[in-house]
Amino acid sequence: MSSMERAADRGEKKELRKEHPSGWLYLTQHDAIPILVDALLDLPPNREFNKTELAEHAGVTRQTVGNYTDLLIEVELIEEVPNTSPCRYRVADSDVVRELFELNSALNNVGE
């Protein structure tokens, strides 16, 4: 197989991955998501926040948080706090969050 054929094959595979993303790719295909997830991992348990507070904590704009709030809820990273106006959020009590904290802990402990 020539280098041109291998490059074309890689391109096709990459496009297939984009068309049928894993949960990880679906989440991280958005530039700001890794920064927001990192900020969520840094929050104390049960800490409530609004979009402005999360934006300040993450070092991004409120608009950025607003752009991705629905996605963060959809993948069960955050949840709305009931009966709050304006709406407040917290890190979700979900399997996704528990696994994310485990992965983060494992990555932080590599090489120790």
Side-chain angles (χ1 to χ4, degrees), residues 24 96 101 112:
W24 177 252
V96 172
F101 272 96
E112 288 188 359

Side-chain angles (χ1 to χ4, degrees), residues 1-2 7 25 42 47-48 50 63-64 68 73 77 79 84 86 90 92 103-104 108 110:
M1 182 183 287
S2 72
L25 184 58
D42 192 40
R47 166 75 159 57
E48 293 182 12
N50 61 30
Q63 181 179 355
T64 296
Y68 296 110
I73 291 170
L77 288 176
E79 59 192 13
T84 57
R90 64 180 161 236
L103 174 61
N104 190 51
N108 286 335
V110 169

